[in-house]
Amino acid sequence: MDKIERYGQLIKQVLSEHQQIAPNTDTVNSQLILDNENDHYQLAYVGWQGDKRVFGPVMHFDIQNGKIWIQYNGTEESVAERLVELGVPPSDIVIGFHSPFKRQFTSYAVE
């Protein structure tokens, strides 16, 4: 298995772990959105709470230039740390929701 395929599987594992603990109700569900061809991965909530629409990402990852980009993390867990625990080197993780300036002060990749 090549690196990109492995990273895709690790991202799916992290998203699946969060989907299992996500608060599904009769009217709001968590959905895994997996675009393996273009390396985009997302966990989202979709549904209704009363007459209010619920739709939005919980987490979003991309794989770009051989690195995992964490584009959004709406949880309290450090998914970057979880990816490191799963064997991804910090140099292959980009915290995409931080500005490029701020990224230089983390232990992860800038780009």
Side-chain angles (χ1 to χ4, degrees):
M1 170 183 323
D2 76 345
K3 180 171 104 169
I4 302 303
E5 185 179 342
R6 181 172 161 269
Y7 284 179
Q9 289 190 354
L10 293 175
I11 292 168
K12 288 178 211 170
Q13 179 179 338
V14 169
L15 292 174
S16 294
E17 290 170 0
H18 280 274
Q19 185 181 33
Q20 289 175 5
I21 62 172
N24 285 319
T25 67
D26 290 340
T27 59
V28 177
N29 295 302
S30 58
Q31 292 184 354
L32 280 178
I33 303 165
L34 308 171
D35 178 358
N36 299 317
E37 187 174 320
N38 297 298
D39 296 316
H40 304 295
Y41 308 89
Q42 188 175 93
L43 175 65
Y45 290 141
V46 178
W48 290 88
Q49 282 184 322
D51 56 354
K52 181 183 176 198
R53 179 71 172 151
V54 176
F55 180 82
V58 178
M59 291 184 203
H60 181 100
F61 299 86
D62 293 322
I63 300 175
Q64 299 175 12
N65 300 320
K67 296 183 181 182
I68 297 174
W69 283 67
I70 303 170
Q71 302 290 16
Y72 181 74
N73 178 13
T75 73
E76 294 182 11
E77 181 184 358
S78 172
V79 293
E81 288 178 20
R82 179 70 180 122
L83 290 167
V84 170
E85 289 172 7
L86 293 170
V88 179
S91 60
D92 278 358
I93 299 171
V94 178
I95 311 297
F97 56 84
H98 286 168
S99 71
F101 175 78
K102 188 174 181 181
R103 288 183 216 147
Q104 68 181 320
F105 302 111
T106 71
S107 59
Y108 303 102
V110 175
E111 286 189 9

